[in-house]
Amino acid sequence: MENKFLNVAIIAGNVHQLRQAANLSQSELAKLIHVSKSSINAWERGHTYPNLINVLSICNYFKVKVDDLIGVSSMKS
Protein backbone atom coordinates (compact mmCIF):
# COMPACT_ATOMS: atom_id res chain seq x y z
CA MET A 1 0.00 0.00 0.00
CA GLU A 2 1.40 3.38 -1.00
CA ASN A 3 1.54 6.07 1.65
CA LYS A 4 0.21 9.32 0.17
CA PHE A 5 2.09 11.34 2.79
CA LEU A 6 5.56 9.79 2.49
CA ASN A 7 7.44 9.15 -0.72
CA VAL A 8 10.02 6.48 0.02
CA ALA A 9 12.01 7.37 -3.12
CA ILE A 10 12.43 10.97 -1.95
CA ILE A 11 13.60 9.88 1.49
CA ALA A 12 15.97 7.35 -0.09
CA GLY A 13 17.46 9.96 -2.40
CA ASN A 14 17.81 12.54 0.36
CA VAL A 15 19.57 10.16 2.76
CA HIS A 16 21.91 9.05 -0.01
CA GLN A 17 22.63 12.61 -1.13
CA LEU A 18 23.33 13.86 2.40
CA ARG A 19 25.62 10.92 3.13
CA GLN A 20 27.54 11.32 -0.13
CA ALA A 21 27.91 15.10 0.35
CA ALA A 22 29.45 14.44 3.77
CA ASN A 23 31.83 11.86 2.25
CA LEU A 24 30.55 9.16 4.60
CA SER A 25 30.25 5.47 3.87
CA GLN A 26 27.06 3.68 4.82
CA SER A 27 28.98 2.04 7.67
CA GLU A 28 30.24 5.37 8.96
CA LEU A 29 26.78 6.94 8.95
CA ALA A 30 25.35 3.85 10.60
CA LYS A 31 27.82 4.15 13.47
CA LEU A 32 27.16 7.87 13.86
CA ILE A 33 23.39 7.46 14.22
CA HIS A 34 23.49 4.06 15.96
CA VAL A 35 21.85 1.83 13.36
CA SER A 36 23.08 -1.05 11.24
CA LYS A 37 24.71 -0.60 7.84
CA SER A 38 21.92 -2.73 6.39
CA SER A 39 19.38 -0.18 7.65
CA ILE A 40 21.17 2.64 5.82
CA ASN A 41 21.35 0.47 2.71
CA ALA A 42 17.62 -0.36 2.88
CA TRP A 43 16.71 3.31 3.33
CA GLU A 44 18.87 4.40 0.40
CA ARG A 45 17.46 1.69 -1.84
CA GLY A 46 13.90 2.64 -0.92
CA HIS A 47 13.10 -0.75 0.56
CA THR A 48 12.17 0.80 3.91
CA TYR A 49 12.31 4.21 5.49
CA PRO A 50 13.73 5.35 8.83
CA ASN A 51 11.47 5.49 11.86
CA LEU A 52 10.90 8.79 13.66
CA ILE A 53 13.86 8.41 16.02
CA ASN A 54 16.16 7.68 13.08
CA VAL A 55 14.74 10.57 11.05
CA LEU A 56 15.52 12.88 13.96
CA SER A 57 19.03 11.44 14.27
CA ILE A 58 19.69 11.97 10.56
CA CYS A 59 18.33 15.51 10.69
CA ASN A 60 20.34 16.39 13.77
CA TYR A 61 23.55 15.01 12.32
CA PHE A 62 23.19 16.73 8.95
CA LYS A 63 21.51 19.86 10.35
CA VAL A 64 18.48 19.61 8.04
CA LYS A 65 14.77 20.02 8.72
CA VAL A 66 12.56 16.94 8.96
CA ASP A 67 10.30 18.39 6.24
CA ASP A 68 13.25 18.60 3.87
CA LEU A 69 14.50 15.08 4.60
CA ILE A 70 11.14 13.40 4.07
CA GLY A 71 10.10 15.60 1.17
CA VAL A 72 7.13 17.33 2.80
CA SER A 73 8.34 20.79 1.80
CA SER A 74 8.16 19.81 -1.88
CA MET A 75 4.65 18.39 -1.39
CA LYS A 76 3.31 21.69 0.00
CA SER A 77 3.90 23.60 -3.23
Side-chain angles (χ1 to χ4, degrees), residues 1-53:
M1 180 171 101
E2 185 178 327
N3 186 328
K4 66 180 180 178
F5 299 107
L6 290 179
N7 184 326
V8 176
I10 289 174
I11 297 169
N14 288 343
V15 171
H16 179 77
Q17 184 178 27
L18 289 166
R19 181 181 62 76
Q20 291 275 309
N23 291 318
L24 295 171
S25 69
Q26 289 182 344
S27 295
E28 290 169 328
L29 179 57
K31 287 178 186 175
L32 288 167
I33 64 169
H34 309 288
V35 298
S36 67
K37 178 190 177 275
S38 61
S39 291
I40 303 292
N41 186 275
W43 300 340
E44 289 188 6
R45 296 179 75 184
H47 291 213
T48 63
Y49 50 85
N51 66 26
L52 180 58
I53 299 300

mmCIF file of all heavy atoms in Angstrom, residues 1-53:
data_model
loop_
_atom_site.group_PDB
_atom_site.id
_atom_site.type_symbol
_atom_site.label_atom_id
_atom_site.label_comp_id
_atom_site.label_asym_id
_atom_site.label_seq_id
_atom_site.Cartn_x
_atom_site.Cartn_y
_atom_site.Cartn_z
ATOM 1 N N MET A 1 0.843 -1.177 0.000
ATOM 2 C CA MET A 1 0.000 0.000 0.000
ATOM 3 C C MET A 1 0.890 1.243 0.000
ATOM 4 O O MET A 1 1.804 1.382 0.784
ATOM 5 C CB MET A 1 -0.879 -0.020 1.251
ATOM 6 C CG MET A 1 -1.801 1.165 1.349
ATOM 7 S SD MET A 1 -2.983 0.952 2.684
ATOM 8 C CE MET A 1 -2.242 1.960 3.933
ATOM 9 N N GLU A 2 0.623 2.149 -0.895
ATOM 10 C CA GLU A 2 1.404 3.376 -1.002
ATOM 11 C C GLU A 2 0.925 4.392 0.027
ATOM 12 O O GLU A 2 -0.267 4.566 0.235
ATOM 13 C CB GLU A 2 1.245 3.957 -2.400
ATOM 14 C CG GLU A 2 2.117 5.161 -2.635
ATOM 15 C CD GLU A 2 1.981 5.686 -4.050
ATOM 16 O OE1 GLU A 2 1.763 4.871 -4.955
ATOM 17 O OE2 GLU A 2 2.076 6.897 -4.222
ATOM 18 N N ASN A 3 1.853 5.034 0.664
ATOM 19 C CA ASN A 3 1.540 6.072 1.646
ATOM 20 C C ASN A 3 1.496 7.404 0.917
ATOM 21 O O ASN A 3 2.491 7.845 0.367
ATOM 22 C CB ASN A 3 2.601 6.082 2.749
ATOM 23 C CG ASN A 3 2.268 7.019 3.871
ATOM 24 O OD1 ASN A 3 1.641 8.051 3.663
ATOM 25 N ND2 ASN A 3 2.685 6.666 5.055
ATOM 26 N N LYS A 4 0.336 8.069 0.912
ATOM 27 C CA LYS A 4 0.214 9.316 0.168
ATOM 28 C C LYS A 4 0.948 10.473 0.835
ATOM 29 O O LYS A 4 1.094 11.538 0.259
ATOM 30 C CB LYS A 4 -1.250 9.677 -0.054
ATOM 31 C CG LYS A 4 -2.018 10.010 1.193
ATOM 32 C CD LYS A 4 -3.451 10.351 0.847
ATOM 33 C CE LYS A 4 -4.226 10.685 2.104
ATOM 34 N NZ LYS A 4 -5.592 11.058 1.822
ATOM 35 N N PHE A 5 1.399 10.278 2.070
ATOM 36 C CA PHE A 5 2.093 11.335 2.789
ATOM 37 C C PHE A 5 3.610 11.208 2.731
ATOM 38 O O PHE A 5 4.308 12.192 2.886
ATOM 39 C CB PHE A 5 1.643 11.388 4.253
ATOM 40 C CG PHE A 5 0.177 11.680 4.381
ATOM 41 C CD1 PHE A 5 -0.701 10.695 4.762
ATOM 42 C CD2 PHE A 5 -0.316 12.942 4.101
ATOM 43 C CE1 PHE A 5 -2.053 10.970 4.870
ATOM 44 C CE2 PHE A 5 -1.661 13.222 4.199
ATOM 45 C CZ PHE A 5 -2.537 12.230 4.584
ATOM 46 N N LEU A 6 4.112 10.003 2.534
ATOM 47 C CA LEU A 6 5.558 9.794 2.487
ATOM 48 C C LEU A 6 5.936 9.161 1.154
ATOM 49 O O LEU A 6 5.344 8.178 0.742
ATOM 50 C CB LEU A 6 6.021 8.871 3.609
ATOM 51 C CG LEU A 6 5.964 9.425 5.023
ATOM 52 C CD1 LEU A 6 6.424 8.365 6.009
ATOM 53 C CD2 LEU A 6 6.807 10.671 5.166
ATOM 54 N N ASN A 7 6.924 9.716 0.512
ATOM 55 C CA ASN A 7 7.443 9.154 -0.717
ATOM 56 C C ASN A 7 8.788 8.524 -0.385
ATOM 57 O O ASN A 7 9.768 9.236 -0.137
ATOM 58 C CB ASN A 7 7.588 10.248 -1.773
ATOM 59 C CG ASN A 7 8.026 9.704 -3.113
ATOM 60 O OD1 ASN A 7 8.784 8.748 -3.187
ATOM 61 N ND2 ASN A 7 7.542 10.320 -4.157
ATOM 62 N N VAL A 8 8.823 7.205 -0.366
ATOM 63 C CA VAL A 8 10.024 6.477 0.023
ATOM 64 C C VAL A 8 11.195 6.822 -0.891
ATOM 65 O O VAL A 8 12.335 6.933 -0.441
ATOM 66 C CB VAL A 8 9.759 4.954 0.053
ATOM 67 C CG1 VAL A 8 11.022 4.175 0.355
ATOM 68 C CG2 VAL A 8 8.690 4.626 1.080
ATOM 69 N N ALA A 9 10.928 7.043 -2.174
ATOM 70 C CA ALA A 9 12.006 7.367 -3.118
ATOM 71 C C ALA A 9 12.654 8.708 -2.775
ATOM 72 O O ALA A 9 13.872 8.864 -2.909
ATOM 73 C CB ALA A 9 11.468 7.375 -4.550
ATOM 74 N N ILE A 10 11.867 9.676 -2.332
ATOM 75 C CA ILE A 10 12.430 10.975 -1.951
ATOM 76 C C ILE A 10 13.304 10.824 -0.715
ATOM 77 O O ILE A 10 14.418 11.350 -0.664
ATOM 78 C CB ILE A 10 11.317 12.015 -1.715
ATOM 79 C CG1 ILE A 10 10.677 12.397 -3.045
ATOM 80 C CG2 ILE A 10 11.868 13.253 -1.010
ATOM 81 C CD1 ILE A 10 9.475 13.300 -2.930
ATOM 82 N N ILE A 11 12.810 10.102 0.276
ATOM 83 C CA ILE A 11 13.598 9.881 1.493
ATOM 84 C C ILE A 11 14.886 9.152 1.142
ATOM 85 O O ILE A 11 15.967 9.532 1.600
ATOM 86 C CB ILE A 11 12.782 9.101 2.543
ATOM 87 C CG1 ILE A 11 11.555 9.917 2.964
ATOM 88 C CG2 ILE A 11 13.648 8.745 3.754
ATOM 89 C CD1 ILE A 11 10.539 9.140 3.786
ATOM 90 N N ALA A 12 14.794 8.125 0.314
ATOM 91 C CA ALA A 12 15.970 7.355 -0.094
ATOM 92 C C ALA A 12 17.004 8.255 -0.756
ATOM 93 O O ALA A 12 18.195 8.224 -0.416
ATOM 94 C CB ALA A 12 15.552 6.235 -1.048
ATOM 95 N N GLY A 13 16.557 9.066 -1.693
ATOM 96 C CA GLY A 13 17.462 9.964 -2.396
ATOM 97 C C GLY A 13 18.091 10.995 -1.477
ATOM 98 O O GLY A 13 19.281 11.303 -1.599
ATOM 99 N N ASN A 14 17.298 11.516 -0.562
ATOM 100 C CA ASN A 14 17.815 12.536 0.356
ATOM 101 C C ASN A 14 18.849 11.964 1.320
ATOM 102 O O ASN A 14 19.874 12.591 1.567
ATOM 103 C CB ASN A 14 16.670 13.199 1.122
ATOM 104 C CG ASN A 14 15.850 14.111 0.244
ATOM 105 O OD1 ASN A 14 16.272 14.511 -0.837
ATOM 106 N ND2 ASN A 14 14.656 14.451 0.688
ATOM 107 N N VAL A 15 18.589 10.784 1.858
ATOM 108 C CA VAL A 15 19.567 10.157 2.762
ATOM 109 C C VAL A 15 20.865 9.898 1.997
ATOM 110 O O VAL A 15 21.958 10.219 2.470
ATOM 111 C CB VAL A 15 19.017 8.855 3.380
ATOM 112 C CG1 VAL A 15 20.112 8.098 4.126
ATOM 113 C CG2 VAL A 15 17.841 9.148 4.307
ATOM 114 N N HIS A 16 20.729 9.346 0.809
ATOM 115 C CA HIS A 16 21.911 9.054 -0.011
ATOM 116 C C HIS A 16 22.691 10.334 -0.334
ATOM 117 O O HIS A 16 23.920 10.374 -0.180
ATOM 118 C CB HIS A 16 21.483 8.351 -1.303
ATOM 119 C CG HIS A 16 22.621 8.029 -2.207
ATOM 120 N ND1 HIS A 16 23.473 6.981 -1.980
ATOM 121 C CD2 HIS A 16 23.065 8.644 -3.335
ATOM 122 C CE1 HIS A 16 24.390 6.950 -2.934
ATOM 123 N NE2 HIS A 16 24.156 7.956 -3.763
ATOM 124 N N GLN A 17 21.987 11.358 -0.764
ATOM 125 C CA GLN A 17 22.635 12.614 -1.134
ATOM 126 C C GLN A 17 23.354 13.261 0.053
ATOM 127 O O GLN A 17 24.491 13.722 -0.078
ATOM 128 C CB GLN A 17 21.594 13.574 -1.706
ATOM 129 C CG GLN A 17 22.170 14.862 -2.217
ATOM 130 C CD GLN A 17 21.104 15.759 -2.823
ATOM 131 O OE1 GLN A 17 19.936 15.701 -2.462
ATOM 132 N NE2 GLN A 17 21.518 16.598 -3.755
ATOM 133 N N LEU A 18 22.706 13.283 1.208
ATOM 134 C CA LEU A 18 23.329 13.859 2.395
ATOM 135 C C LEU A 18 24.585 13.082 2.792
ATOM 136 O O LEU A 18 25.618 13.671 3.119
ATOM 137 C CB LEU A 18 22.340 13.882 3.564
ATOM 138 C CG LEU A 18 21.208 14.892 3.455
ATOM 139 C CD1 LEU A 18 20.121 14.577 4.480
ATOM 140 C CD2 LEU A 18 21.734 16.312 3.633
ATOM 141 N N ARG A 19 24.480 11.756 2.748
ATOM 142 C CA ARG A 19 25.624 10.919 3.127
ATOM 143 C C ARG A 19 26.789 11.133 2.169
ATOM 144 O O ARG A 19 27.935 11.313 2.596
ATOM 145 C CB ARG A 19 25.206 9.447 3.143
ATOM 146 C CG ARG A 19 26.325 8.508 3.554
ATOM 147 C CD ARG A 19 25.900 7.070 3.543
ATOM 148 N NE ARG A 19 25.494 6.594 2.239
ATOM 149 C CZ ARG A 19 26.343 6.282 1.247
ATOM 150 N NH1 ARG A 19 27.647 6.415 1.400
ATOM 151 N NH2 ARG A 19 25.878 5.838 0.091
ATOM 152 N N GLN A 20 26.484 11.135 0.878
ATOM 153 C CA GLN A 20 27.537 11.324 -0.126
ATOM 154 C C GLN A 20 28.185 12.701 0.006
ATOM 155 O O GLN A 20 29.406 12.818 -0.098
ATOM 156 C CB GLN A 20 26.937 11.166 -1.533
ATOM 157 C CG GLN A 20 26.504 9.759 -1.859
ATOM 158 C CD GLN A 20 27.642 8.925 -2.387
ATOM 159 O OE1 GLN A 20 28.338 9.338 -3.300
ATOM 160 N NE2 GLN A 20 27.833 7.757 -1.819
ATOM 161 N N ALA A 21 27.380 13.733 0.223
ATOM 162 C CA ALA A 21 27.907 15.099 0.350
ATOM 163 C C ALA A 21 28.842 15.233 1.550
ATOM 164 O O ALA A 21 29.771 16.046 1.536
ATOM 165 C CB ALA A 21 26.755 16.098 0.459
ATOM 166 N N ALA A 22 28.603 14.418 2.573
ATOM 167 C CA ALA A 22 29.449 14.438 3.766
ATOM 168 C C ALA A 22 30.625 13.476 3.648
ATOM 169 O O ALA A 22 31.403 13.318 4.592
ATOM 170 C CB ALA A 22 28.616 14.089 5.001
ATOM 171 N N ASN A 23 30.760 12.830 2.494
ATOM 172 C CA ASN A 23 31.834 11.858 2.254
ATOM 173 C C ASN A 23 31.856 10.757 3.301
ATOM 174 O O ASN A 23 32.923 10.385 3.806
ATOM 175 C CB ASN A 23 33.204 12.550 2.171
ATOM 176 C CG ASN A 23 33.334 13.402 0.934
ATOM 177 O OD1 ASN A 23 32.918 13.004 -0.148
ATOM 178 N ND2 ASN A 23 33.886 14.589 1.096
ATOM 179 N N LEU A 24 30.670 10.249 3.633
ATOM 180 C CA LEU A 24 30.552 9.158 4.596
ATOM 181 C C LEU A 24 30.172 7.872 3.884
ATOM 182 O O LEU A 24 29.375 7.894 2.945
ATOM 183 C CB LEU A 24 29.468 9.469 5.629
ATOM 184 C CG LEU A 24 29.685 10.643 6.564
ATOM 185 C CD1 LEU A 24 28.422 10.931 7.363
ATOM 186 C CD2 LEU A 24 30.850 10.360 7.494
ATOM 187 N N SER A 25 30.712 6.769 4.346
ATOM 188 C CA SER A 25 30.254 5.468 3.866
ATOM 189 C C SER A 25 28.965 5.124 4.603
ATOM 190 O O SER A 25 28.618 5.749 5.613
ATOM 191 C CB SER A 25 31.310 4.396 4.137
ATOM 192 O OG SER A 25 31.419 4.163 5.530
ATOM 193 N N GLN A 26 28.261 4.135 4.121
ATOM 194 C CA GLN A 26 27.060 3.678 4.825
ATOM 195 C C GLN A 26 27.416 3.196 6.228
ATOM 196 O O GLN A 26 26.695 3.482 7.180
ATOM 197 C CB GLN A 26 26.354 2.567 4.038
ATOM 198 C CG GLN A 26 25.689 3.060 2.778
ATOM 199 C CD GLN A 26 24.961 1.970 2.038
ATOM 200 O OE1 GLN A 26 25.164 0.773 2.270
ATOM 201 N NE2 GLN A 26 24.098 2.372 1.123
ATOM 202 N N SER A 27 28.538 2.521 6.353
ATOM 203 C CA SER A 27 28.978 2.038 7.667
ATOM 204 C C SER A 27 29.268 3.183 8.620
ATOM 205 O O SER A 27 28.909 3.124 9.804
ATOM 206 C CB SER A 27 30.231 1.171 7.533
ATOM 207 O OG SER A 27 29.950 0.003 6.818
ATOM 208 N N GLU A 28 29.921 4.222 8.116
ATOM 209 C CA GLU A 28 30.244 5.371 8.963
ATOM 210 C C GLU A 28 28.982 6.075 9.449
ATOM 211 O O GLU A 28 28.860 6.401 10.634
ATOM 212 C CB GLU A 28 31.133 6.356 8.200
ATOM 213 C CG GLU A 28 32.532 5.825 7.961
ATOM 214 C CD GLU A 28 33.325 6.667 6.980
ATOM 215 O OE1 GLU A 28 32.727 7.253 6.040
ATOM 216 O OE2 GLU A 28 34.566 6.723 7.154
ATOM 217 N N LEU A 29 28.036 6.305 8.538
ATOM 218 C CA LEU A 29 26.785 6.941 8.946
ATOM 219 C C LEU A 29 26.035 6.063 9.942
ATOM 220 O O LEU A 29 25.507 6.558 10.937
ATOM 221 C CB LEU A 29 25.898 7.253 7.739
ATOM 222 C CG LEU A 29 24.554 7.899 8.063
ATOM 223 C CD1 LEU A 29 24.718 9.192 8.850
ATOM 224 C CD2 LEU A 29 23.746 8.126 6.788
ATOM 225 N N ALA A 30 26.030 4.781 9.694
ATOM 226 C CA ALA A 30 25.347 3.854 10.598
ATOM 227 C C ALA A 30 25.899 3.968 12.022
ATOM 228 O O ALA A 30 25.128 4.036 12.982
ATOM 229 C CB ALA A 30 25.491 2.420 10.082
ATOM 230 N N LYS A 31 27.206 4.014 12.143
ATOM 231 C CA LYS A 31 27.821 4.150 13.474
ATOM 232 C C LYS A 31 27.462 5.476 14.121
ATOM 233 O O LYS A 31 27.190 5.543 15.319
ATOM 234 C CB LYS A 31 29.342 4.019 13.371
ATOM 235 C CG LYS A 31 29.803 2.611 13.117
ATOM 236 C CD LYS A 31 31.302 2.525 12.976
ATOM 237 C CE LYS A 31 31.712 1.124 12.572
ATOM 238 N NZ LYS A 31 33.148 1.021 12.307
ATOM 239 N N LEU A 32 27.442 6.542 13.327
ATOM 240 C CA LEU A 32 27.160 7.871 13.861
ATOM 241 C C LEU A 32 25.735 8.014 14.404
ATOM 242 O O LEU A 32 25.510 8.735 15.373
ATOM 243 C CB LEU A 32 27.390 8.933 12.780
ATOM 244 C CG LEU A 32 28.846 9.188 12.414
ATOM 245 C CD1 LEU A 32 28.944 10.000 11.132
ATOM 246 C CD2 LEU A 32 29.554 9.905 13.558
ATOM 247 N N ILE A 33 24.782 7.318 13.761
ATOM 248 C CA ILE A 33 23.392 7.458 14.215
ATOM 249 C C ILE A 33 22.874 6.186 14.908
ATOM 250 O O ILE A 33 21.695 6.081 15.187
ATOM 251 C CB ILE A 33 22.453 7.908 13.081
ATOM 252 C CG1 ILE A 33 22.367 6.869 11.966
ATOM 253 C CG2 ILE A 33 22.878 9.266 12.532
ATOM 254 C CD1 ILE A 33 21.257 7.151 10.974
ATOM 255 N N HIS A 34 23.792 5.254 15.159
ATOM 256 C CA HIS A 34 23.493 4.064 15.962
ATOM 257 C C HIS A 34 22.445 3.141 15.341
ATOM 258 O O HIS A 34 21.470 2.737 15.990
ATOM 259 C CB HIS A 34 23.094 4.446 17.392
ATOM 260 C CG HIS A 34 24.063 5.371 18.042
ATOM 261 N ND1 HIS A 34 25.306 4.960 18.463
ATOM 262 C CD2 HIS A 34 23.999 6.699 18.296
ATOM 263 C CE1 HIS A 34 25.958 5.988 18.974
ATOM 264 N NE2 HIS A 34 25.197 7.064 18.884
ATOM 265 N N VAL A 35 22.669 2.827 14.054
ATOM 266 C CA VAL A 35 21.850 1.829 13.364
ATOM 267 C C VAL A 35 22.792 0.893 12.613
ATOM 268 O O VAL A 35 24.001 1.130 12.568
ATOM 269 C CB VAL A 35 20.839 2.481 12.379
ATOM 270 C CG1 VAL A 35 19.847 3.375 13.100
ATOM 271 C CG2 VAL A 35 21.541 3.224 11.264
ATOM 272 N N SER A 36 22.251 -0.123 12.002
ATOM 273 C CA SER A 36 23.084 -1.047 11.239
ATOM 274 C C SER A 36 23.336 -0.507 9.831
ATOM 275 O O SER A 36 22.553 0.298 9.304
ATOM 276 C CB SER A 36 22.408 -2.415 11.138
ATOM 277 O OG SER A 36 21.240 -2.322 10.348
ATOM 278 N N LYS A 37 24.413 -0.970 9.221
ATOM 279 C CA LYS A 37 24.715 -0.599 7.844
ATOM 280 C C LYS A 37 23.595 -1.067 6.925
ATOM 281 O O LYS A 37 23.228 -0.378 5.970
ATOM 282 C CB LYS A 37 26.043 -1.208 7.398
ATOM 283 C CG LYS A 37 26.381 -0.900 5.953
ATOM 284 C CD LYS A 37 27.581 -1.724 5.480
ATOM 285 C CE LYS A 37 27.881 -1.481 4.046
ATOM 286 N NZ LYS A 37 27.096 -2.289 3.127
ATOM 287 N N SER A 38 23.004 -2.216 7.231
ATOM 288 C CA SER A 38 21.922 -2.732 6.392
ATOM 289 C C SER A 38 20.686 -1.830 6.449
ATOM 290 O O SER A 38 19.937 -1.738 5.477
ATOM 291 C CB SER A 38 21.570 -4.177 6.752
ATOM 292 O OG SER A 38 21.123 -4.270 8.081
ATOM 293 N N SER A 39 20.487 -1.138 7.570
ATOM 294 C CA SER A 39 19.383 -0.177 7.652
ATOM 295 C C SER A 39 19.620 0.988 6.700
ATOM 296 O O SER A 39 18.716 1.380 5.957
ATOM 297 C CB SER A 39 19.227 0.360 9.073
ATOM 298 O OG SER A 39 18.763 -0.636 9.942
ATOM 299 N N ILE A 40 20.836 1.528 6.717
ATOM 300 C CA ILE A 40 21.170 2.636 5.816
ATOM 301 C C ILE A 40 20.980 2.186 4.370
ATOM 302 O O ILE A 40 20.380 2.891 3.560
ATOM 303 C CB ILE A 40 22.624 3.131 6.026
ATOM 304 C CG1 ILE A 40 22.870 3.569 7.473
ATOM 305 C CG2 ILE A 40 22.971 4.233 5.028
ATOM 306 C CD1 ILE A 40 22.156 4.805 7.922
ATOM 307 N N ASN A 41 21.463 1.007 4.065
ATOM 308 C CA ASN A 41 21.348 0.467 2.713
ATOM 309 C C ASN A 41 19.883 0.333 2.302
ATOM 310 O O ASN A 41 19.505 0.720 1.191
ATOM 311 C CB ASN A 41 22.071 -0.878 2.634
ATOM 312 C CG ASN A 41 22.108 -1.406 1.231
ATOM 313 O OD1 ASN A 41 21.173 -2.049 0.784
ATOM 314 N ND2 ASN A 41 23.203 -1.140 0.533
ATOM 315 N N ALA A 42 19.047 -0.186 3.185
ATOM 316 C CA ALA A 42 17.621 -0.361 2.877
ATOM 317 C C ALA A 42 16.927 0.985 2.678
ATOM 318 O O ALA A 42 16.083 1.133 1.792
ATOM 319 C CB ALA A 42 16.935 -1.159 3.990
ATOM 320 N N TRP A 43 17.301 1.969 3.479
ATOM 321 C CA TRP A 43 16.706 3.308 3.327
ATOM 322 C C TRP A 43 17.096 3.908 1.989
ATOM 323 O O TRP A 43 16.267 4.456 1.278
ATOM 324 C CB TRP A 43 17.160 4.248 4.433
ATOM 325 C CG TRP A 43 16.816 3.828 5.816
ATOM 326 C CD1 TRP A 43 15.854 2.931 6.210
ATOM 327 C CD2 TRP A 43 17.435 4.276 7.022
ATOM 328 N NE1 TRP A 43 15.845 2.796 7.574
ATOM 329 C CE2 TRP A 43 16.812 3.624 8.098
ATOM 330 C CE3 TRP A 43 18.466 5.167 7.291
ATOM 331 C CZ2 TRP A 43 17.173 3.836 9.425
ATOM 332 C CZ3 TRP A 43 18.831 5.380 8.600
ATOM 333 C CH2 TRP A 43 18.180 4.722 9.661
ATOM 334 N N GLU A 44 18.374 3.801 1.643
ATOM 335 C CA GLU A 44 18.868 4.403 0.401
ATOM 336 C C GLU A 44 18.332 3.694 -0.834
ATOM 337 O O GLU A 44 18.234 4.301 -1.901
ATOM 338 C CB GLU A 44 20.395 4.433 0.382
ATOM 339 C CG GLU A 44 20.969 5.436 1.348
ATOM 340 C CD GLU A 44 22.462 5.620 1.207
ATOM 341 O OE1 GLU A 44 23.073 5.055 0.270
ATOM 342 O OE2 GLU A 44 23.042 6.342 2.045
ATOM 343 N N ARG A 45 18.007 2.440 -0.715
ATOM 344 C CA ARG A 45 17.457 1.691 -1.845
ATOM 345 C C ARG A 45 15.940 1.814 -1.929
ATOM 346 O O ARG A 45 15.325 1.332 -2.865
ATOM 347 C CB ARG A 45 17.884 0.232 -1.748
ATOM 348 C CG ARG A 45 19.411 0.097 -1.881
ATOM 349 C CD ARG A 45 19.857 -1.299 -1.770
ATOM 350 N NE ARG A 45 19.512 -1.945 -3.043
ATOM 351 C CZ ARG A 45 19.692 -3.217 -3.291
ATOM 352 N NH1 ARG A 45 20.205 -3.990 -2.386
ATOM 353 N NH2 ARG A 45 19.355 -3.722 -4.454
ATOM 354 N N GLY A 46 15.343 2.453 -0.925
ATOM 355 C CA GLY A 46 13.898 2.640 -0.923
ATOM 356 C C GLY A 46 13.117 1.409 -0.524
ATOM 357 O O GLY A 46 11.918 1.325 -0.767
ATOM 358 N N HIS A 47 13.788 0.460 0.116
ATOM 359 C CA HIS A 47 13.099 -0.752 0.561
ATOM 360 C C HIS A 47 12.315 -0.488 1.836
ATOM 361 O O HIS A 47 11.275 -1.102 2.067
ATOM 362 C CB HIS A 47 14.104 -1.872 0.790
ATOM 363 C CG HIS A 47 14.722 -2.355 -0.482
ATOM 364 N ND1 HIS A 47 15.099 -3.654 -0.676
ATOM 365 C CD2 HIS A 47 15.037 -1.718 -1.648
ATOM 366 C CE1 HIS A 47 15.616 -3.802 -1.878
ATOM 367 N NE2 HIS A 47 15.591 -2.633 -2.479
ATOM 368 N N THR A 48 12.846 0.384 2.676
ATOM 369 C CA THR A 48 12.174 0.802 3.906
ATOM 370 C C THR A 48 12.509 2.271 4.117
ATOM 371 O O THR A 48 13.284 2.848 3.358
ATOM 372 C CB THR A 48 12.661 0.013 5.148
ATOM 373 O OG1 THR A 48 14.047 0.277 5.357
ATOM 374 C CG2 THR A 48 12.431 -1.477 5.014
ATOM 375 N N TYR A 49 11.932 2.850 5.140
ATOM 376 C CA TYR A 49 12.313 4.207 5.487
ATOM 377 C C TYR A 49 12.575 4.272 6.981
ATOM 378 O O TYR A 49 12.099 3.440 7.755
ATOM 379 C CB TYR A 49 11.284 5.248 5.043
ATOM 380 C CG TYR A 49 9.862 4.959 5.436
ATOM 381 C CD1 TYR A 49 9.374 5.322 6.685
ATOM 382 C CD2 TYR A 49 8.998 4.349 4.545
ATOM 383 C CE1 TYR A 49 8.069 5.065 7.048
ATOM 384 C CE2 TYR A 49 7.684 4.094 4.900
ATOM 385 C CZ TYR A 49 7.222 4.457 6.140
ATOM 386 O OH TYR A 49 5.936 4.203 6.491
ATOM 387 N N PRO A 50 13.362 5.265 7.414
ATOM 388 C CA PRO A 50 13.726 5.354 8.827
ATOM 389 C C PRO A 50 12.521 5.693 9.704
ATOM 390 O O PRO A 50 11.630 6.433 9.287
ATOM 391 C CB PRO A 50 14.764 6.483 8.863
ATOM 392 C CG PRO A 50 14.638 7.212 7.575
ATOM 393 C CD PRO A 50 13.990 6.309 6.602
ATOM 394 N N ASN A 51 12.523 5.144 10.908
ATOM 395 C CA ASN A 51 11.467 5.495 11.859
ATOM 396 C C ASN A 51 11.719 6.907 12.382
ATOM 397 O O ASN A 51 12.716 7.546 12.052
ATOM 398 C CB ASN A 51 11.375 4.458 12.990
ATOM 399 C CG ASN A 51 12.590 4.436 13.884
ATOM 400 O OD1 ASN A 51 13.310 5.418 14.040
ATOM 401 N ND2 ASN A 51 12.853 3.281 14.490
ATOM 402 N N LEU A 52 10.816 7.409 13.197
ATOM 403 C CA LEU A 52 10.903 8.794 13.659
ATOM 404 C C LEU A 52 12.196 9.084 14.398
ATOM 405 O O LEU A 52 12.837 10.123 14.160
ATOM 406 C CB LEU A 52 9.699 9.126 14.547
ATOM 407 C CG LEU A 52 9.663 10.551 15.093
ATOM 408 C CD1 LEU A 52 9.669 11.577 13.969
ATOM 409 C CD2 LEU A 52 8.446 10.741 15.974
ATOM 410 N N ILE A 53 12.614 8.192 15.274
ATOM 411 C CA ILE A 53 13.858 8.406 16.021
ATOM 412 C C ILE A 53 15.034 8.512 15.063
ATOM 413 O O ILE A 53 15.894 9.391 15.203
ATOM 414 C CB ILE A 53 14.097 7.267 17.041
ATOM 415 C CG1 ILE A 53 12.964 7.212 18.075
ATOM 416 C CG2 ILE A 53 15.463 7.398 17.710
ATOM 417 C CD1 ILE A 53 12.788 8.465 18.898
#
